[in-house]
Amino acid sequence: MRKLTFIMTVLAVVQGISPLWSAEIVRDHRSDWKIQLEPMASRPAQAAASELQDVIFRATGAKLPVVKSDAVPAEKTIVVGGKLALAVGIDVEKLPPESFRILARGGNIYVAGRDTDNADPYSFSRDTAQTGTLFGAADFLEKFLDARWFFPGETGEYLPKRSGFSVPDDYDFTGIPKMEYRRMHKTDWDTMTPHQKQNISRWYRRNRWGRSADYEGSHSWLWNMPAKKYFRDHPDWFALVHGKRAGYAVAGVQLCTTNSKALDEFARVLLPQIEKNRKHNYMISIGPNDGGGFCMCPKCRALDVGKLPDGHPILSDRMVVYANEMAKRINAVYPDQTIGLYAYSYYSDPPAKQVLDPHVKIMHVQNDFGIFGLDEAFCAAYRDKKLKPWKAKVGKLYHYDYTEGTGNYGIPASHPTACRNRAQVLDAAQVSGFAMNFREDFYATALNNYLELKLCWYPASEFDAIYNDAMEKCYGARAVPYVQKYFDEQERRALGIYRSLLFDVSIGAFQRMPSVISAGLPGLRDACMPDLQKALSLTGDSGQRARIQMLIENLENAEVVCQLYVLGRKILNEGKATTENLRKAIALARTHRAYVKKLESTGWLRPGEMDRQNQKLHLNMDEEPYRRLLNESMGGVRKTFALRLASGAVTLDGKGAEAFWKDAPTVEVAVHCASGDPAPVKASVKVAASDGALYLLTEMQEPQMDQLRDAVSKRNGPVWDENCIEFFFDPQNGQREFRQLLVNSIGTIAEVRRDGQKELPWASKAEAAVTRSADRWTVEVRIPFAAFGRTPKMGEIWGFNVCRDRIAAGSNERLSWSPTFGKFDVPGRFGKLIFR
């Protein structure tokens, strides 16, 4: 990894500004200049005029009037928009899309760009306006007033106060975006206030977010060909997985792409959508669902060429055949319709044999470049083995990245080296567009987002100038060396864990959890906080201090997360729930939650994002589980269950109608396993012992019985991926070794014995029977005590828990009797089964 060095530069000089000043626009906070718009100016031009007026006023105190006139402008006028600029030879229609020109001529300044007036210039729908003139205004303000917008809102703005400014009388600059597609998906618009939306919209535009070409290749099958609608009547349309047609997957069931009838139906569904949006010329997506679970039927497999290192077949050629088939169907009706497809997951390699239909446009997906991009060997391989071969096959190629993978927990992640390396790779491969999905907040990522947008406009060769300028203005020249040390340490640690992370090919991303916490954080605050405190002391600018304070707060939170993670593992996974540990965990969890709430209030972090990442961490980082455990330690109720010996014949039929079950005690599987909160859909379990065996009768409420499509029928198959009930037994009550029995809704059993981290076979000789009714399904199970190696004595206590995976609702609800506040298999959190 080549180190970034800080060199004092002035970006304006790098971009070609002459040092000879002559046209004074503001002097001593006064100005006799005006801003002129034509009467029917486009909305992007009107927005540009407002930006110029507002920023000039806030920087200098001089408020230039905005006038609307189509008369020939007098001297000392900033002329905004295309028609009035024709008089000085600026024909915006001859500029490339979204481009602009700034020209000093005849005592005036002209700012004109290639616009469309089809939408609000600050909206970001698929038919968003092109805003070349607005980009020109932002460029003008950057160069002549040193304005910078590092983050949305006032905290992110750098705008030095000055008494005046000038423009050289021979200034002439044309700005052309490097990439025709520059999309950053940062926030959840539905949860933002109007003020927050305005802040981030302006931030996007000021940093040249935009596009002159449409692209849509996202996961389309989930919405257009849902198994919920089609599987019952057409199971052969869906993927053959583990010898069965799949009826459910969390991210959506994949199609069998060689089933012509399925493709016919998919085309039938898409055609009305195309017709509806013909006037916008929208691209239509035919993208598969996220994750794995692709079809392994003989016809699909026959199209695959080559294997990945893990032995999984490369699916690129089958996907090209599929895309061509869809293009044939769609273009037969709409000959000019473009079709979007990601090159992603198991189909990210270029096809070996197939040639793609020219109507199909490819966006190559490489998630996790925030870490990958630190490795220059990876960057070279990605450029030469992925992007360039795809580029040679398709002509125009786009790139997509979920930079911090599928979750980074708000951990410090400022990786400017990765930003630079990606820009170099995309430039070398002549990539035409960049879509960036970035859920991390600006506290954690610092300048990354700003740099990414800049590098979609400027070539990678300008990275050092852009970066050095940003560091100086964002944090202050004297503070930069200390902030840079902090960023260097983040990159060093990220690269240090890079080789140890597991890579999930199905989503093209690392499994960051828990390594980003357990390996990336210990000692980071102690190593770097002195440098950040020193940086804070070296600048008096309030904005720069606020931005350094953001780094400090994020680093403090990282230490809280690190301590809470270590303590949480002791308490929840190892059962070391001392009163002291619990009180400390509660305090840490409250501090962390307060920080998260602050980020959510800015609109920079999607509400609930940390809750979703808790699930990936398999460790609850909120205070609730620790508060409940503290209550238990002070005499609160712990889950216990007294089993009785029964007598009488039992017919294992899943009905539970025998007198044997009438008086059997019942436990409720009625809370969310991770939080302990009540669940709306419950299950009840009766447990009894008789005739040398343990019997369990479980009745699962299910208001969506029509969505039970479980298909695993082979014993010890992946039952855990389906609607199932899970029984946990710790006969020694030692909170280490335990046995686990799972039964899905069609009665298939999976069984395993665990000893710490070791997974061992377990021949339980269990039997199960299932019945279904209109609103529930019932499982009856018999397990011989011999399978446990012992027949329990009266008074004996076993660790015991019952958990449920409920996926019929469309997401995996994980429920339990005794909440474990994380994964199911935490024996320290099992309840107690007492034999009486």
Side-chain angles (χ1 to χ4, degrees):
M1 178 177 66
R2 178 164 64 88
K3 286 282 186 182
L4 295 170
T5 56
F6 179 77
I7 305 168
M8 295 287 284
T9 59
V10 180
L11 187 62
V13 173
V14 173
Q15 295 181 347
I17 293 179
S18 166
L20 302 174
W21 308 104
S22 56
E24 283 190 301
I25 296 177
V26 178
R27 182 178 184 181
D28 295 331
H29 309 292
R30 299 176 183 273
S31 178
D32 51 2
W33 282 64
K34 63 179 179 293
I35 299 169
Q36 182 174 337
L37 285 165
E38 62 193 64
M40 300 300 291
S42 69
R43 281 175 286 184
Q46 294 178 53
S50 295
E51 288 278 300
L52 290 167
Q53 183 188 55
D54 172 63
V55 176
I56 290 171
F57 172 69
R58 289 190 293 112
T60 68
K63 190 166 187 176
L64 279 60
V66 176
V67 298
K68 287 191 173 183
S69 172
D70 54 10
V72 175
E75 290 188 353
K76 297 186 177 181
T77 301
I78 300 177
V79 183
V80 179
K83 290 185 179 179
L84 292 172
L86 279 170
V88 291
I90 300 176
D91 186 350
V92 294
E93 295 305 315
K94 294 181 178 179
L95 290 173
E98 299 186 287
S99 300
F100 62 85
R101 187 175 174 190
I102 303 173
L103 174 67
R105 181 68 56 82
N108 295 323
I109 308 293
Y110 293 84
V111 180
R114 183 83 173 269
D115 300 333
T116 59
D117 202 14
N118 53 305
D120 178 348
Y122 292 110
S123 73
F124 297 97
S125 60
R126 289 183 67 185
D127 61 341
T128 184
Q130 294 180 37
T131 57
T133 304
L134 184 53
F135 294 157
D139 188 83
F140 180 93
L141 296 169
E142 284 186 350
K143 287 176 178 172
F144 299 113
L145 286 136
D146 264 348
R148 300 290 184 272
W149 297 281
F150 300 115
F151 317 122
E154 293 181 7
T155 302
E157 183 179 69
Y158 174 81
L159 185 63
K161 302 294 184 183
R162 58 181 68 214
S163 61
F165 75 100
S166 304
V167 176
D169 59 9
D170 61 348
Y171 185 73
D172 188 354
F173 177 77
T174 300
I176 302 172
K178 178 180 73 175
M179 293 185 177
E180 66 179 15
Y181 186 91
R182 308 171 308 283
R183 174 185 174 273
M184 179 180 287
H185 182 65
K186 181 73 183 98
T187 51
D188 189 348
W189 289 92
D190 292 340
T191 64
M192 294 172 68
T193 67
H195 180 65
Q196 290 169 342
K197 290 180 181 179
Q198 181 185 59
N199 281 342
I200 199 162
S201 297
R202 286 187 172 179
W203 179 79
Y204 278 145
R205 285 303 194 203
R206 287 164 168 173
N207 289 300
R208 325 295 197 274
W209 190 109
R211 58 185 171 210
S212 57
D214 181 49
Y215 191 86
E216 178 54 56
S218 59
H219 309 296
S220 174
W221 294 350
L222 180 64
W223 314 112
N224 292 303
M225 292 292 288
K228 182 177 181 179
K229 178 178 179 180
Y230 291 108
F231 187 81
R232 175 171 292 176
D233 295 329
H234 305 286
D236 57 315
W237 290 7
F238 295 90
L240 185 72
V241 182
H242 301 297
K244 291 286 184 180
R245 295 290 173 178
Y248 173 82
V250 173
V253 183
Q254 310 288 13
L255 291 180
C256 174
T257 55
T258 55
N259 188 304
S260 61
K261 291 184 178 179
L263 302 194
D264 289 343
E265 174 64 11
F266 190 19
R268 188 194 68 78
V269 171
L270 293 179
L271 289 174
Q273 299 176 32
I274 295 170
E275 177 62 32
K276 180 181 178 181
N277 293 299
R278 289 294 284 167
K279 66 178 181 179
H280 300 301
N281 195 28
Y282 284 169
M283 184 180 292
I284 196 78
S285 171
I286 59 166
N289 294 326
D290 210 350
F294 289 95
C295 187
M296 290 292 121
C297 77
K299 286 184 69 176
C300 286
R301 285 290 291 114
L303 297 172
D304 299 334
V305 181
K307 292 185 177 181
L308 295 168
D310 66 357
H312 195 285
I314 296 170
L315 309 184
S316 304
D317 282 80
R318 82 157 74 170
M319 285 301 170
V320 170
V321 171
Y322 152 70
N324 290 346
E325 286 293 317
M326 290 303 300
K328 182 169 66 176
R329 289 163 169 78
I330 290 170
N331 295 133
V333 181
Y334 300 106
D336 60 345
Q337 178 63 45
T338 55
I339 298 159
L341 178 69
Y342 288 160
Y344 174 52
S345 185
Y346 297 108
Y347 47 102
S348 69
D349 285 286
K353 295 181 178 180
Q354 302 295 330
V355 177
L356 198 68
D357 186 294
H359 292 91
V360 182
K361 307 302 179 183
I362 296 295
M363 178 173 279
H364 197 278
V365 178
Q366 180 54 70
N367 291 324
D368 249 320
F369 220 100
I371 291 183
F372 274 131
L374 299 173
D375 183 343
E376 294 187 359
F378 167 81
C379 291
Y382 181 58
R383 177 193 66 214
D384 296 336
K385 295 181 180 180
K386 300 276 183 141
L387 292 183
K388 284 188 173 181
W390 268 110
K391 170 71 175 175
K393 289 178 180 291
V394 301
K396 184 180 286 188
L397 181 65
Y398 300 94
H399 168 75
Y400 176 102
D401 183 15
Y402 199 145
T403 307
E404 297 305 327
T406 56
N408 198 54
Y409 217 83
I411 302 307
S414 179
H415 299 154
T417 299
C419 299
R420 180 202 63 199
N421 288 350
R422 188 213 330 267
Q424 291 175 345
V425 166
L426 299 187
D427 280 7
Q430 298 180 314
V431 169
S432 299
F434 177 28
M436 177 179 171
N437 195 349
F438 209 134
R439 288 294 188 187
E440 295 303 307
D441 61 89
F442 290 87
Y443 282 68
T445 59
L447 288 170
N448 290 8
N449 299 289
Y450 173 84
L451 295 172
E452 299 291 3
L453 287 177
K454 287 294 183 191
L455 290 166
C456 286
W457 193 274
Y458 300 109
S461 60
E462 293 192 22
F463 175 82
D464 286 345
I466 294 169
Y467 179 65
N468 294 335
D469 170 85
M471 288 288 282
E472 177 187 347
K473 291 179 171 60
C474 188
Y475 301 116
R478 296 175 64 203
V480 165
Y482 299 96
V483 174
Q484 185 64 57
K485 284 176 65 179
Y486 177 47
F487 291 170
D488 288 344
E489 179 63 13
Q490 289 182 45
E491 290 188 348
R492 186 189 71 79
R493 287 168 176 256
L495 196 56
I497 65 174
Y498 165 59
R499 299 296 178 191
S500 65
L501 295 176
L502 293 175
F503 182 67
D504 185 345
V505 179
S506 71
I507 58 172
F510 284 126
Q511 293 180 15
R512 288 173 171 249
M513 299 294 190
S515 295
V516 293
I517 296 175
S518 61
L521 291 190
L524 181 63
R525 183 186 64 174
D526 291 345
C528 296
M529 188 60 76
D531 287 321
L532 291 183
Q533 294 291 357
K534 180 69 173 177
L536 190 66
S537 72
L538 291 175
T539 178
D541 180 273
S542 60
Q544 291 170 348
R545 289 182 62 84
R547 292 186 285 273
I548 295 172
Q549 188 63 40
M550 287 169 58
L551 301 178
I552 289 172
E553 289 179 18
N554 183 244
L555 182 55
E556 288 285 6
N557 179 67
E559 177 65 17
V560 169
V561 167
C562 183
Q563 290 185 24
L564 182 57
Y565 175 77
V566 172
L567 203 55
R569 284 183 61 85
K570 283 184 179 180
I571 294 170
L572 301 180
N573 292 357
E574 300 171 20
K576 299 178 181 177
T578 66
T579 300
E580 180 183 358
N581 281 349
L582 289 167
R583 292 189 188 281
K584 185 177 180 182
I586 290 169
L588 290 168
R590 286 176 178 170
T591 300
H592 172 59
R593 180 53 59 179
Y595 176 77
V596 170
K597 289 294 185 185
K598 178 178 179 178
L599 297 190
E600 291 175 349
S601 72
T602 66
W604 296 354
L605 185 69
R606 182 172 61 164
E609 183 66 19
M610 288 303 174
D611 296 328
R612 284 180 282 274
Q613 296 196 26
N614 275 341
Q615 295 175 16
K616 296 184 179 72
L617 190 58
H618 295 300
L619 187 74
N620 201 314
M621 302 286 274
D622 288 321
E623 71 171 279
E624 183 62 19
Y626 306 104
R627 187 183 62 76
R628 294 187 184 200
L629 287 169
L630 182 62
N631 179 58
E632 283 182 13
S633 72
M634 299 174 70
V637 176
R638 178 71 181 271
K639 297 283 187 178
T640 59
F641 176 74
L643 175 71
R644 73 177 183 86
L645 285 174
S647 60
V650 181
T651 301
L652 209 67
D653 56 10
K655 297 178 180 178
E658 296 88 351
F660 176 89
W661 290 113
K662 183 178 179 182
D663 297 322
T666 303
V667 299
E668 298 288 335
V669 182
V671 298
H672 292 284
C673 189
S675 65
D677 294 333
V681 177
K682 299 176 174 59
S684 62
V685 183
K686 292 185 176 183
V687 186
S690 178
D691 192 28
L694 189 67
Y695 289 86
L696 304 110
L697 178 66
T698 308
E699 189 175 79
M700 264 76 63
Q701 295 178 4
E702 184 48 73
Q704 294 178 283
M705 286 294 293
D706 61 328
Q707 298 306 310
L708 262 63
R709 300 196 180 93
D710 302 324
V712 175
S713 58
K714 184 179 179 180
R715 193 173 183 115
N716 291 322
V719 172
W720 47 87
D721 287 337
E722 301 189 322
N723 294 280
C724 67
I725 191 75
E726 303 191 26
F727 304 101
F728 295 85
F729 307 95
D730 178 4
Q732 304 293 337
N733 197 20
Q735 300 184 9
R736 176 181 172 84
E737 182 181 343
F738 62 93
R739 290 160 174 81
Q740 179 181 0
L741 186 85
L742 305 89
V743 186
N744 68 5
S745 68
I746 60 174
T748 306
I749 290 173
E751 58 213 340
V752 69
R753 178 178 155 215
R754 297 180 187 271
D755 185 359
Q757 297 298 314
K758 237 190 295 186
E759 188 172 296
L760 305 167
W762 179 39
S764 70
K765 297 185 179 181
E767 302 170 86
V770 173
T771 58
R772 298 192 188 197
S773 59
D775 63 351
R776 64 199 60 217
W777 57 286
T778 303
V779 176
E780 198 170 19
V781 176
R782 179 183 186 275
I783 311 173
F785 281 126
F788 299 105
R790 61 193 296 162
T791 298
K793 299 176 182 178
M794 292 302 97
E796 193 167 311
I797 299 174
W798 288 14
F800 175 67
N801 207 2
V802 186
C803 301
R804 178 185 181 184
D805 290 286
R806 179 177 176 257
I807 64 175
S811 62
N812 191 351
E813 288 186 5
R814 298 170 60 82
L815 313 173
S816 66
W817 171 50
S818 178
T820 62
F821 306 116
K823 296 185 293 184
F824 286 166
D825 53 351
V826 183
R829 284 298 307 155
F830 292 174
K832 304 302 178 185
L833 179 62
I834 305 172
F835 290 86
R836 288 182 179 168

